[in-house]
Amino acid sequence: MVKSTSKDTQALFHSLRSAYAATPTNLKIIDLYVVFSVFTALIQVVYMAVVGSFPFNSFLSGVLSCIGTAVLAVCLRIQVNKENKEFKDLPPERAFADFVLCNLVLHLVIMNFLG
Amino acid sequence: MSKLLIFLTLIPLLPILTTSFSPENPSGRRVLVLLDDLALKSSHSVFFNSLQSRGFDLDFKLADDPKIGLHRYGQYLYDGLILFCPTTERFGGSIDLAAILDFVDSGHDLIIAADSNASDLIREIATESGVDFDEDPAALVIDHSSYAVSNTEGDHTLIASDEYIKSDVILGSKKIEASADIAPVLFQGIGHSLNPSNSLVLKVLSASPSAYSSNPKSKLSNPPSLTGSAISLVSIVQARNNARILISGSLSMFSNRFFRSEVQKAGSPTKHEKSGNEQFLTELSKWVFHERGHLKAMNVRHHKAGEADEPTIYRVNDDLEYSVEIYEWSGASWEPYVADDVQVQFYMMSPYVLKNLSTDKKGSYFTAFKVPDVYGVFQFKIEYQRLGYTSLSLSKQIPVRPFKHNEYERFIPAAYPYYGAAFSMMTGFFIFTAVHLYSK
């Protein structure tokens, strides 16, 4: 049983990797952007665990900027993905414009809350 | 005619006004001396001459003279009072127990000498000052091992004592010595005891541990009530208004005979040429009449470090500097007081800061400290009470405010990673839009 599960996981990883290789480049760029922002958020959480939460508003503002960026990027990816049936009629330019406006609002809020 | 008479009688009062006791001149000049017997004027002349040579005007009067009075028209005529009248039952004129107590309460000094047949009036004055004489009216202090050796067969009531209080300010810095050793002081009279809980009374000369107080002519039927070192022979009182009182159980201690006599303490081989009485009592009278140990504090100043004017409010965590000037009266002028134990407190319900003031030896005391991290209404307090010195009690109120909203640090160093993360997200977003728009 053990051997078959390990072979299954290996087969699973292979199929995931090959399927991922087939995605278009612009979606891969968005994925990279999401990973970058989540990674920055994790660094901040680790820093807070070490040093303590003294300027708590600054901590929340930093983490929120990272998570908010990730969320907006994921929304953009959903709307721009051509294989997604739900957003077939939505022009990708409109999705990008929404993304830019939401990011502006997000960064305005972050700058105010950062202290 | 009557107007002229009134005018002429009022003119002599003018010099009295100019030489009166004032805070600027604490050693008053006019002293009333009440005697039982005018022969005391000559038998105690060395003591009186030492006072007169220091500038005091002594006014000798009999205790029952009907014309004596301490004050007239609401003003005190004298700055000090010496009572060398142990047997007086009632004073003449307008002086009585209440008048004497008012005199002391208004800040003037008093010397009382009692003796073996002290009247009730003298005993009451002493009790009001904090000192309790032995109740037996015929009792004297007897010491069978510390008495002064004399040619006649004595009953050991003439005692030689050298148990002085250790204080340079009260007894002067020159040690009492006739030859190499300290000369003892001769004493013959009644002893008194002090209440141990009274912090204003001090024993200047106490009896040796082998002394006791009883009637020398009768046999002891029960143990004496006053014994040993609890018997005080000479005491001083410094009242809270800085009036000073000297109480002695022996009038003959001040006499020329005792001043000039030689002294040999029983059991000790040394014979001193001169007893320590003159030096002891002269130095003590200097202390009583404020020629030593009288302090004055003035010019309290505080300011922020680096500024010169005094602000009305401080902020938490400010650096401030405090200075005060303390002088001591030397009998003729104010000299700078030098000590290293004057402390200032920054006080609000309890002292948050307690610092020793450093001095420049010219009377100026100063220190610098940081305002504590607490806001409220504080006081700069100096409470200085030292043995033999007048007490200094100064306090100056000053409020301390917390930070204004724009006095905090602008950027908190602990939050730099969060600032960095937020800005990196913004640049990342900018780069991402560029890449997204211009890639295929």
Side-chain angles (χ1 to χ4, degrees):
Chain A
M1 274 331 276
V2 176
K3 239 178 129 189
S4 62
T5 49
S6 69
K7 276 191 89 156
D8 282 342
T9 51
Q10 275 185 357
L12 186 63
F13 272 124
H14 275 308
S15 68
L16 272 178
R17 219 194 265 155
S18 51
Y20 190 68
T23 58
T25 323
N26 58 345
L27 294 184
K28 281 195 198 161
I29 292 173
I30 298 180
D31 290 338
L32 185 62
Y33 186 50
V34 171
V35 166
F36 158 66
S37 69
V38 170
F39 176 64
T40 315
L42 280 175
I43 292 181
Q44 286 178 86
V45 171
V46 167
Y47 175 75
M48 189 215 83
V50 167
V51 166
S53 64
F54 162 51
F56 197 54
N57 57 319
S58 306
F59 164 68
L60 286 180
S61 161
V63 169
L64 180 67
S65 80
C66 301
I67 301 299
T69 312
V71 165
L72 290 175
V74 165
C75 291
L76 177 67
R77 190 186 194 280
I78 291 172
Q79 291 178 343
V80 158
N81 197 350
K82 293 193 183 46
E83 289 170 26
N84 196 336
K85 300 293 178 295
E86 194 180 343
F87 291 98
K88 197 161 43 98
D89 294 327
L90 183 72
E93 290 80 14
R94 164 76 198 278
F96 183 70
D98 284 342
F99 171 73
V100 167
L101 281 173
C102 292
N103 260 307
L104 286 179
V105 172
L106 174 72
H107 284 107
L108 183 71
V109 169
I110 295 304
M111 280 297 113
N112 263 301
F113 200 53
L114 197 57
Chain B
M1 188 58 199
S2 57
K3 273 203 209 142
L4 185 65
L5 262 173
I6 293 173
F7 187 61
L8 284 175
T9 47
L10 283 179
I11 285 190
L13 287 178
L14 282 177
I16 296 176
L17 286 173
T18 53
T19 59
S20 60
F21 180 101
S22 68
E24 282 308 305
N25 186 352
S27 291
R29 296 288 119 205
R30 303 156 301 152
V31 177
L32 174 62
V33 183
L34 292 181
L35 309 167
D36 268 343
D37 175 0
L38 283 175
L40 281 176
K41 210 168 145 180
S42 52
S43 69
H44 289 56
S45 61
V46 177
F47 179 66
F48 292 132
N49 287 344
S50 75
L51 287 179
Q52 280 169 333
S53 67
R54 296 207 306 269
F56 290 100
D57 296 326
L58 300 180
D59 199 359
F60 296 93
K61 290 275 189 320
L62 278 178
D64 44 14
D65 186 340
K67 289 202 293 294
I68 53 179
L70 284 174
H71 62 267
R72 196 193 302 159
Y73 309 124
Q75 284 216 337
Y76 280 108
L77 297 171
Y78 300 101
D79 305 312
L81 179 58
I82 297 183
L83 294 177
F84 275 1
C85 45
T87 58
T88 310
E89 295 286 344
R90 239 179 38 104
F91 291 113
S94 63
I95 300 186
D96 61 353
L97 175 65
I100 293 181
L101 294 178
D102 281 339
F103 185 68
V104 173
D105 281 343
S106 65
H108 299 97
D109 310 316
L110 178 60
I111 296 183
I112 309 176
D115 215 333
S116 60
N117 30 8
S119 70
D120 281 338
L121 179 59
I122 297 291
R123 282 171 196 269
E124 254 205 73
I125 299 175
T127 310
E128 290 288 336
S129 312
V131 148
D132 295 311
F133 281 110
D134 193 356
E135 281 167 3
D136 184 355
L140 290 175
V141 179
I142 302 174
D143 193 338
H144 293 298
S145 58
S146 249
Y147 58 93
V149 168
S150 65
N151 293 332
T152 60
E153 179 69 38
D155 48 7
H156 301 167
T157 56
L158 178 63
I159 56 184
S161 168
D162 48 12
E163 317 253 338
Y164 309 117
I165 191 176
K166 293 190 177 20
S167 167
D168 277 351
V169 66
I170 298 176
L171 289 180
S173 43
K174 218 162 37 106
K175 295 282 167 274
I176 298 181
E177 46 197 307
S179 51
D181 305 296
I182 300 179
V185 169
L186 288 170
F187 181 93
Q188 182 169 32
I190 56 182
H192 52 265
S193 65
L194 309 174
N195 191 343
S197 60
N198 189 343
S199 58
L200 304 172
V201 198
L202 290 167
K203 266 195 287 207
V204 178
L205 187 68
S206 48
S208 76
S210 57
Y212 62 97
S213 170
S214 84
N215 189 344
K217 295 189 177 44
S218 65
K219 245 168 129 145
L220 268 183
S221 47
N222 28 3
S225 50
L226 281 181
T227 56
S229 298
I231 298 181
S232 172
L233 305 173
V234 177
S235 311
I236 49 174
V237 181
Q238 174 156 286
R240 290 202 176 90
N241 61 352
N242 295 326
R244 292 174 173 177
I245 307 177
L246 170 70
I247 301 172
S248 161
S250 161
L251 180 54
S252 38
M253 204 178 153
F254 294 85
S255 66
N256 294 356
R257 191 166 57 94
F258 278 35
F259 275 19
R260 293 187 186 129
S261 104
E262 56 192 13
V263 152
Q264 180 180 10
K265 204 165 152 181
S268 130
T270 48
K271 196 167 175 147
H272 299 273
E273 290 283 312
K274 194 164 147 58
S275 68
N277 286 40
E278 183 172 0
Q279 182 177 359
F280 176 72
L281 290 171
T282 312
E283 296 291 328
L284 204 50
S285 69
K286 279 188 198 165
W287 184 84
V288 170
F289 288 121
H290 291 271
E291 287 172 50
R292 220 174 19 230
H294 184 99
L295 300 176
K296 155 172 99 157
M298 41 190 260
N299 273 346
V300 170
R301 271 196 299 265
H302 57 90
H303 56 94
K304 255 193 252 209
E307 294 175 19
D309 51 348
E310 201 170 281
T312 51
I313 187 168
Y314 282 110
R315 196 203 68 201
V316 171
N317 287 347
D318 265 346
D319 289 309
L320 64 80
E321 290 170 14
Y322 177 85
S323 71
V324 66
E325 290 173 19
I326 303 182
Y327 296 102
E328 184 180 358
W329 179 247
S330 69
S333 63
W334 290 101
E335 301 293 320
Y337 176 63
V338 178
D340 57 357
D341 59 355
V342 187
Q343 291 180 320
V344 67
Q345 304 175 8
F346 199 56
Y347 175 95
M348 172 168 75
M349 309 302 271
S350 71
Y352 282 80
V353 175
L354 182 67
K355 286 210 87 161
N356 268 13
L357 295 171
S358 36
T359 176
D360 65 349
K361 307 233 186 305
K362 291 201 188 49
S364 171
Y365 288 80
F366 50 87
T367 188
F369 56 88
K370 206 174 167 73
V371 174
D373 199 6
V374 178
Y375 60 89
V377 178
F378 283 85
Q379 290 171 352
F380 288 108
K381 267 172 105 131
I382 294 189
E383 299 280 340
Y384 189 70
Q385 280 129 14
R386 296 286 178 270
L387 185 72
Y389 286 102
T390 57
S391 51
L392 290 179
S393 188
L394 312 165
S395 105
K396 197 158 190 179
Q397 205 175 63
I398 187 83
V400 171
R401 66 165 173 87
F403 282 115
K404 289 195 183 119
H405 75 282
N406 59 354
E407 283 174 350
Y408 291 100
E409 311 163 322
R410 183 63 189 90
F411 298 113
I412 302 173
Y416 283 169
Y418 309 125
Y419 303 155
F423 284 111
S424 82
M425 281 297 115
M426 284 166 70
T427 54
F429 160 69
F430 189 72
I431 295 171
F432 170 75
T433 56
V435 166
H436 190 264
L437 284 175
Y438 293 111
S439 73
K440 253 187 356 68

mmCIF file of all heavy atoms in Angstrom, chain B residues 72-89:
data_model
loop_
_atom_site.group_PDB
_atom_site.id
_atom_site.type_symbol
_atom_site.label_atom_id
_atom_site.label_comp_id
_atom_site.label_asym_id
_atom_site.label_seq_id
_atom_site.Cartn_x
_atom_site.Cartn_y
_atom_site.Cartn_z
ATOM 1 N N ARG B 72 4.691 95.624 74.585
ATOM 2 C CA ARG B 72 3.927 96.837 74.814
ATOM 3 C C ARG B 72 3.373 97.280 73.483
ATOM 4 O O ARG B 72 4.077 97.247 72.476
ATOM 5 C CB ARG B 72 4.856 97.916 75.392
ATOM 6 C CG ARG B 72 4.076 99.053 76.002
ATOM 7 C CD ARG B 72 4.971 100.228 76.283
ATOM 8 N NE ARG B 72 6.063 99.897 77.175
ATOM 9 C CZ ARG B 72 7.180 100.603 77.256
ATOM 10 N NH1 ARG B 72 7.356 101.650 76.477
ATOM 11 N NH2 ARG B 72 8.142 100.260 78.094
ATOM 12 N N TYR B 73 2.139 97.694 73.479
ATOM 13 C CA TYR B 73 1.466 98.147 72.257
ATOM 14 C C TYR B 73 1.581 97.095 71.150
ATOM 15 O O TYR B 73 1.741 97.415 69.990
ATOM 16 C CB TYR B 73 2.040 99.479 71.733
ATOM 17 C CG TYR B 73 2.119 100.557 72.771
ATOM 18 C CD1 TYR B 73 3.316 101.192 73.054
ATOM 19 C CD2 TYR B 73 0.980 100.929 73.492
ATOM 20 C CE1 TYR B 73 3.392 102.174 74.011
ATOM 21 C CE2 TYR B 73 1.061 101.910 74.454
ATOM 22 C CZ TYR B 73 2.260 102.531 74.720
ATOM 23 O OH TYR B 73 2.338 103.506 75.671
ATOM 24 N N GLY B 74 1.537 95.844 71.521
ATOM 25 C CA GLY B 74 1.513 94.795 70.508
ATOM 26 C C GLY B 74 2.877 94.410 69.963
ATOM 27 O O GLY B 74 2.987 93.486 69.178
ATOM 28 N N GLN B 75 3.925 95.101 70.396
ATOM 29 C CA GLN B 75 5.251 94.746 69.879
ATOM 30 C C GLN B 75 6.104 94.211 71.006
ATOM 31 O O GLN B 75 6.049 94.724 72.119
ATOM 32 C CB GLN B 75 5.935 96.003 69.352
ATOM 33 C CG GLN B 75 5.389 96.447 68.029
ATOM 34 C CD GLN B 75 6.504 97.003 67.198
ATOM 35 O OE1 GLN B 75 7.508 97.425 67.747
ATOM 36 N NE2 GLN B 75 6.337 96.975 65.904
ATOM 37 N N TYR B 76 6.917 93.214 70.708
ATOM 38 C CA TYR B 76 7.777 92.667 71.756
ATOM 39 C C TYR B 76 8.944 93.611 72.031
ATOM 40 O O TYR B 76 9.559 94.135 71.113
ATOM 41 C CB TYR B 76 8.304 91.293 71.340
ATOM 42 C CG TYR B 76 7.279 90.208 71.574
ATOM 43 C CD1 TYR B 76 6.615 89.599 70.522
ATOM 44 C CD2 TYR B 76 6.951 89.820 72.871
ATOM 45 C CE1 TYR B 76 5.661 88.633 70.744
ATOM 46 C CE2 TYR B 76 5.992 88.852 73.089
ATOM 47 C CZ TYR B 76 5.351 88.265 72.030
ATOM 48 O OH TYR B 76 4.412 87.312 72.246
ATOM 49 N N LEU B 77 9.222 93.816 73.316
ATOM 50 C CA LEU B 77 10.311 94.712 73.687
ATOM 51 C C LEU B 77 11.656 94.009 73.679
ATOM 52 O O LEU B 77 12.694 94.641 73.665
ATOM 53 C CB LEU B 77 10.081 95.258 75.099
ATOM 54 C CG LEU B 77 8.838 96.110 75.256
ATOM 55 C CD1 LEU B 77 8.610 96.384 76.726
ATOM 56 C CD2 LEU B 77 9.004 97.414 74.521
ATOM 57 N N TYR B 78 11.619 92.679 73.770
ATOM 58 C CA TYR B 78 12.867 91.939 73.884
ATOM 59 C C TYR B 78 12.891 90.822 72.853
ATOM 60 O O TYR B 78 11.855 90.374 72.378
ATOM 61 C CB TYR B 78 13.005 91.313 75.289
ATOM 62 C CG TYR B 78 12.999 92.339 76.385
ATOM 63 C CD1 TYR B 78 11.857 92.557 77.127
ATOM 64 C CD2 TYR B 78 14.123 93.107 76.656
ATOM 65 C CE1 TYR B 78 11.842 93.513 78.123
ATOM 66 C CE2 TYR B 78 14.113 94.054 77.649
ATOM 67 C CZ TYR B 78 12.970 94.259 78.382
ATOM 68 O OH TYR B 78 12.953 95.194 79.362
ATOM 69 N N ASP B 79 14.115 90.392 72.514
ATOM 70 C CA ASP B 79 14.245 89.285 71.571
ATOM 71 C C ASP B 79 14.591 87.985 72.251
ATOM 72 O O ASP B 79 14.628 86.954 71.616
ATOM 73 C CB ASP B 79 15.349 89.610 70.549
ATOM 74 C CG ASP B 79 15.088 90.920 69.872
ATOM 75 O OD1 ASP B 79 13.956 91.114 69.428
ATOM 76 O OD2 ASP B 79 16.010 91.742 69.800
ATOM 77 N N GLY B 80 14.914 88.054 73.526
ATOM 78 C CA GLY B 80 15.283 86.817 74.210
ATOM 79 C C GLY B 80 14.987 86.985 75.687
ATOM 80 O O GLY B 80 14.867 88.095 76.202
ATOM 81 N N LEU B 81 14.858 85.894 76.390
ATOM 82 C CA LEU B 81 14.510 85.947 77.811
ATOM 83 C C LEU B 81 15.398 84.966 78.554
ATOM 84 O O LEU B 81 15.558 83.821 78.114
ATOM 85 C CB LEU B 81 13.040 85.551 77.964
ATOM 86 C CG LEU B 81 12.437 85.503 79.359
ATOM 87 C CD1 LEU B 81 12.547 86.829 80.038
ATOM 88 C CD2 LEU B 81 10.980 85.090 79.260
ATOM 89 N N ILE B 82 15.997 85.428 79.645
ATOM 90 C CA ILE B 82 16.791 84.527 80.491
ATOM 91 C C ILE B 82 16.125 84.516 81.847
ATOM 92 O O ILE B 82 15.937 85.576 82.467
ATOM 93 C CB ILE B 82 18.248 85.028 80.607
ATOM 94 C CG1 ILE B 82 18.912 85.016 79.238
ATOM 95 C CG2 ILE B 82 19.019 84.145 81.563
ATOM 96 C CD1 ILE B 82 20.358 85.432 79.280
ATOM 97 N N LEU B 83 15.751 83.324 82.328
ATOM 98 C CA LEU B 83 15.106 83.211 83.636
ATOM 99 C C LEU B 83 16.089 82.591 84.604
ATOM 100 O O LEU B 83 16.285 81.377 84.617
ATOM 101 C CB LEU B 83 13.857 82.322 83.525
ATOM 102 C CG LEU B 83 12.721 82.872 82.671
ATOM 103 C CD1 LEU B 83 11.610 81.844 82.599
ATOM 104 C CD2 LEU B 83 12.179 84.144 83.253
ATOM 105 N N PHE B 84 16.761 83.412 85.387
ATOM 106 C CA PHE B 84 17.671 82.905 86.425
ATOM 107 C C PHE B 84 16.991 83.071 87.778
ATOM 108 O O PHE B 84 17.577 83.570 88.721
ATOM 109 C CB PHE B 84 18.996 83.677 86.373
ATOM 110 C CG PHE B 84 19.971 83.143 85.372
ATOM 111 C CD1 PHE B 84 19.666 82.066 84.560
ATOM 112 C CD2 PHE B 84 21.219 83.712 85.248
ATOM 113 C CE1 PHE B 84 20.562 81.586 83.650
ATOM 114 C CE2 PHE B 84 22.140 83.226 84.333
ATOM 115 C CZ PHE B 84 21.816 82.166 83.527
ATOM 116 N N CYS B 85 15.707 82.697 87.868
ATOM 117 C CA CYS B 85 14.958 82.956 89.084
ATOM 118 C C CYS B 85 14.229 81.689 89.496
ATOM 119 O O CYS B 85 13.005 81.614 89.369
ATOM 120 C CB CYS B 85 13.987 84.093 88.863
ATOM 121 S SG CYS B 85 13.093 83.932 87.303
ATOM 122 N N PRO B 86 14.944 80.688 89.980
ATOM 123 C CA PRO B 86 14.287 79.403 90.226
ATOM 124 C C PRO B 86 13.269 79.425 91.357
ATOM 125 O O PRO B 86 12.382 78.592 91.388
ATOM 126 C CB PRO B 86 15.443 78.459 90.551
ATOM 127 C CG PRO B 86 16.584 79.314 90.878
ATOM 128 C CD PRO B 86 16.402 80.598 90.182
ATOM 129 N N THR B 87 13.354 80.368 92.298
ATOM 130 C CA THR B 87 12.423 80.291 93.416
ATOM 131 C C THR B 87 11.214 81.190 93.250
ATOM 132 O O THR B 87 10.411 81.312 94.149
ATOM 133 C CB THR B 87 13.131 80.693 94.721
ATOM 134 O OG1 THR B 87 13.635 82.015 94.538
ATOM 135 C CG2 THR B 87 14.262 79.757 95.038
ATOM 136 N N THR B 88 11.082 81.834 92.135
ATOM 137 C CA THR B 88 9.972 82.783 91.976
ATOM 138 C C THR B 88 8.658 82.070 91.805
ATOM 139 O O THR B 88 8.515 81.220 90.932
ATOM 140 C CB THR B 88 10.211 83.634 90.717
ATOM 141 O OG1 THR B 88 11.519 84.145 90.768
ATOM 142 C CG2 THR B 88 9.218 84.747 90.629
ATOM 143 N N GLU B 89 7.676 82.434 92.646
ATOM 144 C CA GLU B 89 6.352 81.813 92.501
ATOM 145 C C GLU B 89 5.500 82.543 91.495
ATOM 146 O O GLU B 89 4.672 81.963 90.812
ATOM 147 C CB GLU B 89 5.622 81.844 93.858
ATOM 148 C CG GLU B 89 6.271 81.018 94.915
ATOM 149 C CD GLU B 89 6.034 79.536 94.681
ATOM 150 O OE1 GLU B 89 5.131 79.197 93.896
ATOM 151 O OE2 GLU B 89 6.763 78.725 95.244
#
